[in-house]
Amino acid sequence: MKTVEVLAPAGGWDALEAGVRSGADAVYLGGPAFGARASAKNFTREELEKAAAFCHARGVRLHVTVNTLLKDRELPQAVEFVRFLCSLPVDAVLVQDLGLFAALRRLAPELPLHCSTQMSLHTPAGVRLLWELGASRVVLAREMSLREIREARNSCPVELEAFVHGALCMSVSGQCYLSAMLGGRSGNRGMCAQPCRLPFAAPGGTGRDLSLKDLSLLERAQDLMEAGVCSLKIEGRMKRPEYVAAAVSACRLAAGGEAVPQELSRDLEAVFSRSGFTQGYLTGALGRGMFGTRRKEDVTAATEQVFSKLRGLYRRELPRVPVDLTLEEQGGEGVLTATDREGRQTRAAAPLGDPGLLPLPRDRCRQQLEKMGGTPFYPGEIALPEEGLRLGVGALNSLRRQVLEDLLEQRSRGQAIPMEGKLPPPRPRKGPVWDRLPVRACFRKVSQVPEQAKACRELCLPLGTSLDALDRLREQGFPPVLLELPRAMFGGEEQVRARMREAMDRGYRDFTCGNLGALALCRELGARAHGTFSLNAANSWALDVLEDLGLVTAECSFELTGRELHGLSGSLPRGGMVYGRQALMLVRNCPLANGPQGCRHCKEPGALTDRKGKKFPVLCERLPGWSKDVPQGGAEVFNSVPLWLGDREEQLGNLDFGVFRFTVENSVESAAVLEAYFRQEALGFDYTRGLFSRGVE
């Protein structure tokens, strides 16, 4: 894009008008389904048609979110919904689901596809992969630093969109399963219940150690633009139109290099904030300063006086579309022609007055034609007869109103985007053949690996594991080892790539991938890639896409029920989690750092405690060799009890392998779990069935 875009949220019609009239270049909103903010008012099909006409008439781009994970029964419906969007047309569709992305790229190649932040894209290789697959824009993970954004920009010419204002989730978007596990409402499907805002206490913390302040990068807008960001995105489809107008107005000024007035900044903070704002991720200033909650003073600051003042920002139409006017005499009539910068043109005519009538002076004609108030137009070039024209003021005003109304209506009509064909069926499934479900056992460190693991089909250990230790496991008769690539690779792609090459030189060519950036590295290096749960493969079409991208095996989303797993098609060998504490969050700012001492540099797992006294383990993820001056890596928050499906083997018949994840267990505890499975015995401790039976909304 030639200039930076200010992108406004719209959860309803009032917010849409507020964003457009306060200066947004583009608006994003959701339809009646498949949007990541299902609790927003959102737009019906009829309202979407009206919204497209409203935006396009005013030169504003319209982006529609279809950015949830889709199940097999839903993906065909989502495709048909996008077919409707193409008919309006919209200017872009935001997607998360890989199956939908590939289908739309094939059926509607001219439709701009934007990769939602729910895709967890935070590395140059991941961004480049989606560009190669046909994405026109990538919405970057909110946790990226300025340096990391530049690296993504330098990797390929895809457009980059970044959040500059609004709420911050504790977890990397697309990697949060807390709401799904605790309440059956999936954040990946637009139904997040925000349990992170409830009390979760870290040692020495504030007691609400999963709640961050809101984001504000308005002061850094110029830095973001210099780093290659073309769209400055405001979060807030659940917020009031006054918030939208204030945020857009402030962002518009910041994007233009102007200072945001203190009064507007105060009003923006008053209308919604959580203990103020943070720039932490962009600047690398992680730790306690990023945490915050919605305090009483944050609520009471939003007075009717503030709201009334902000409503003034969008009370009237914003003149934003230049129009050229030509007034001339033709065949005894006065003819007014209006032309916009895209070449659209309208005309209106009125009979000239009696020949004895004095012409309306040229300057007076110009004065009347420049009166475009109440419309989104402002005067461009105006061509007038040298001697004026024999028209009355009323007649000239009527011509002006008519051509502008006709031009507005003409601009509201767009040309449909072609979308040909239907969604092809997924590949057929050839069922697995096994007497006992083969086991992939994943460990956090070698000391957890018991002798019983020799009965597994394969092991999985972190990429940072000593290669000599891996060689010893091989010499001792343990099964082949897959090396787990980090789920968070912020600023560490080069180090990961170097470590992979080192491992491959020693004969370790299989790696597990929990993000698209990791998959891209495997493709680049010619390694064998195995997908994990955090790739969010939730339907048969997504499995087909991952197979086409080179995955050898894939672990399905653990938000699927047993029935849904059983119904998946496709030829890619797939697995599902059978045992282990399920990861509830992937975070960059560790909640254990919300204490007076900051980062605790944990060598062993820490824990958060909820309001019921349950403990949720927290494990830091770091790779040996990463530079200490780069705020890289992340931490994972795990469920308070492990999943256990080892006694439900008859319901796992469509899987090719089961995944056992050992996180906080020692080798004795790991051995007991494996023995219980292989001997078909009961576990001797508490466990959960997860979402296997109850599923998610």
Side-chain angles (χ1 to χ4, degrees):
M1 299 178 65
K2 293 181 180 179
T3 58
V4 71
E5 171 186 271
V6 174
L7 179 57
W13 188 265
D14 289 345
L16 174 67
E17 283 193 333
V20 171
R21 290 184 174 182
S22 54
D25 301 296
V27 177
Y28 69 101
L29 50 81
F34 313 125
R37 288 293 181 271
S39 297
K41 183 179 178 182
N42 291 319
F43 289 71
T44 65
R45 287 197 175 206
E46 292 76 16
E47 289 170 334
L48 284 169
E49 189 171 1
K50 181 182 174 185
F54 178 81
C55 289
H56 292 154
R58 289 155 179 80
V60 174
R61 292 177 289 277
L62 181 65
H63 306 166
V64 177
T65 60
V66 191
N67 59 339
T68 58
L69 290 185
L70 301 166
K71 298 183 180 182
D72 268 12
R73 68 179 184 276
E74 297 169 326
L75 198 137
Q77 300 169 21
V79 167
E80 291 310 305
F81 175 58
V82 175
R83 194 184 303 275
F84 163 74
L85 296 179
C86 287
S87 72
L88 299 178
V90 300
D91 295 282
V93 171
L94 283 84
V95 297
Q96 173 189 13
D97 192 278
L98 276 176
L100 179 64
F101 178 92
L104 297 180
R105 193 68 294 138
R106 180 168 54 250
L107 298 175
E110 296 179 29
L111 173 66
L113 289 183
H114 294 182
C115 293
S116 170
T117 190
Q118 292 286 122
M119 279 192 171
S120 314
L121 294 165
H122 64 280
T123 66
V127 169
R128 186 169 58 251
L129 174 62
L130 267 298
W131 173 68
E132 291 170 350
L133 294 177
S136 58
R137 180 181 295 185
V138 166
V139 187
L140 297 172
R142 291 174 234 212
E143 294 77 13
M144 294 177 70
S145 70
L146 201 60
R147 169 182 170 180
E148 291 155 7
I149 292 173
R150 289 194 188 98
E151 291 173 349
R153 166 72 283 153
N154 293 335
S155 69
C156 66
V158 73
E159 292 182 357
L160 298 182
E161 180 177 304
F163 283 91
V164 294
H165 203 278
L168 270 180
C169 295
M170 183 69 192
S171 175
V172 175
S173 294
Q175 301 301 310
C176 184
Y177 309 93
L178 183 67
S179 179
M181 290 300 300
L182 299 188
R185 298 181 61 185
S186 170
N188 281 318
R189 290 171 53 79
M191 298 297 294
C192 181
Q194 296 190 330
C196 52
R197 302 298 182 183
L198 296 173
F200 283 87
T206 63
R208 293 183 182 268
D209 300 314
L210 289 179
S211 182
L212 297 178
K213 293 178 179 178
D214 281 8
L215 173 72
S216 182
L217 301 178
L218 298 179
E219 296 177 359
R220 308 302 296 269
Q222 296 295 312
D223 293 333
L224 286 167
M225 293 159 61
E226 180 274 330
V229 171
C230 75
S231 179
L232 304 177
K233 186 171 191 173
I234 299 165
E235 184 277 337
R237 281 196 288 143
M238 303 285 289
K239 294 189 173 76
R240 298 175 57 132
E242 295 90 345
Y243 167 85
V244 174
V248 168
S249 298
C251 193
R252 181 81 276 157
L253 290 169
E258 300 180 49
V260 179
Q262 288 189 354
E263 183 180 10
L264 179 57
S265 295
R266 285 195 299 268
D267 289 344
L268 179 54
E269 183 172 353
V271 76
F272 199 94
S273 74
R274 289 184 176 87
S275 308
F277 300 109
T278 179
Q279 299 180 4
Y281 290 126
L282 193 75
T283 62
L286 309 184
R288 192 166 208 176
M290 287 191 65
F291 290 85
T293 59
R294 188 88 165 125
R295 307 165 302 181
K296 180 180 179 180
E297 52 265 43
D298 296 324
V299 177
T300 57
T303 64
E304 179 54 33
Q305 182 180 7
V306 171
F307 287 131
S308 178
K309 188 192 312 180
L310 294 177
R311 282 192 285 272
L313 295 173
Y314 61 96
R315 189 167 287 119
R316 298 179 180 84
E317 281 276 12
L318 177 69
R320 57 190 308 153
V321 180
V323 58
D324 299 331
L325 297 175
T326 300
L327 181 64
E328 55 192 340
E329 179 181 344
Q330 291 183 4
E333 291 184 318
V335 178
L336 181 64
T337 303
T339 308
D340 68 12
R341 296 300 158 84
E342 290 79 37
R344 301 180 189 88
Q345 195 171 82
T346 60
R347 290 185 178 185
L352 293 177
D354 187 275
L357 182 70
L358 290 175
L360 191 66
R362 195 167 185 268
D363 288 347
R364 185 64 188 276
C365 289
R366 179 181 298 276
Q367 182 182 5
Q368 295 306 123
L369 292 179
E370 287 179 341
K371 292 181 178 180
M372 298 184 181
T375 78
F377 298 111
Y378 65 88
E381 297 181 3
I382 299 180
L384 301 168
E386 286 295 332
E387 302 299 327
L389 209 62
R390 296 194 314 274
L391 283 175
V393 170
L396 187 57
N397 289 343
S398 179
L399 289 179
R400 184 198 66 233
R401 284 193 296 269
Q402 184 175 340
V403 294
L404 293 183
E405 288 172 2
D406 290 348
L407 185 59
L408 192 66
E409 195 279 331
Q410 189 180 130
R411 288 176 58 86
S412 70
R413 300 194 303 266
Q415 185 174 354
I417 298 171
M419 186 167 177
E420 305 293 339
K422 295 184 178 181
L423 177 70
R427 293 167 190 154
R429 173 71 171 146
K430 184 178 181 181
V433 179
W434 41 259
D435 295 325
R436 294 298 313 281
L437 182 67
V439 172
R440 174 182 294 173
C442 303
F443 301 91
R444 190 168 56 89
K445 50 188 178 181
V446 172
S447 62
Q448 292 175 291
V449 181
E451 192 72 15
Q452 288 80 355
K454 289 181 177 178
C456 299
R457 188 179 75 177
E458 56 208 7
L459 306 184
C460 181
L461 284 159
L463 179 64
T465 305
S466 161
L467 295 179
D468 290 339
L470 295 178
D471 289 345
R472 287 193 291 271
L473 288 176
R474 185 163 52 189
E475 292 165 1
Q476 292 167 12
F478 282 91
V481 173
L482 285 62
L483 292 178
E484 181 180 12
L485 301 182
R487 287 176 65 200
M489 296 194 295
F490 295 102
E493 186 175 276
E494 283 302 320
Q495 291 88 338
V496 171
R497 182 183 284 109
R499 183 71 175 185
M500 288 178 68
R501 287 191 175 116
E502 184 181 355
M504 293 174 71
D505 288 344
R506 291 276 284 266
Y508 299 98
R509 305 188 63 83
D510 288 80
F511 300 87
T512 66
C513 305
N515 60 69
L516 291 171
L519 174 55
L521 288 179
C522 287
R523 287 163 55 90
E524 173 191 328
L525 299 177
R528 286 167 51 90
H530 304 260
T532 71
F533 70 92
S534 57
L535 284 178
N536 290 327
N539 58 69
S540 302
W541 289 270
L543 290 172
D544 287 350
V545 174
L546 290 170
E547 183 176 24
D548 291 340
L549 290 176
L551 279 194
V552 178
T553 66
E555 181 184 352
C556 299
S557 167
F558 58 62
E559 293 190 346
L560 296 176
T561 65
R563 184 184 298 273
E564 290 163 345
L565 283 170
H566 187 76
L568 291 175
S569 300
S571 55
L572 178 65
R574 76 286 312 266
M577 192 166 175
V578 173
Y579 170 81
R581 292 177 186 261
Q582 291 161 302
L584 303 184
M585 281 186 171
L586 174 66
V587 301
R588 189 170 193 183
N589 193 23
C590 178
L592 302 183
N594 190 20
Q597 306 303 318
C599 178
R600 300 164 66 88
H601 302 286
C602 305
K603 294 184 179 179
E604 294 299 326
L608 294 170
T609 306
D610 74 0
R611 64 192 190 283
K612 297 180 180 179
K614 293 182 179 179
K615 302 286 187 182
F616 294 78
V618 179
L619 277 70
C620 188
E621 182 182 56
R622 287 186 178 274
L623 183 69
W626 271 359
S627 172
K628 293 182 179 180
D629 63 351
V630 178
Q632 80 299 321
E636 293 178 287
V637 180
F638 291 90
N639 203 3
S640 58
V641 291
L643 173 76
W644 176 243
L645 300 174
D647 55 353
R648 297 288 183 92
E649 198 173 58
E650 71 282 356
Q651 299 177 42
L652 303 174
N654 196 31
L655 298 182
D656 295 278
F657 59 93
V659 179
F660 284 58
R661 278 200 171 80
F662 299 98
T663 51
V664 299
E665 297 86 351
N666 58 36
S667 61
V668 174
E669 293 165 334
S670 301
V673 171
L674 290 173
E675 284 186 356
Y677 175 71
F678 290 128
R679 295 180 181 179
Q680 298 183 307
E681 298 173 349
L683 287 184
F685 48 83
D686 291 341
Y687 55 82
T688 178
R689 299 297 190 184
L691 301 167
F692 189 74
S693 298
R694 57 189 172 97
V696 294
E697 292 185 42

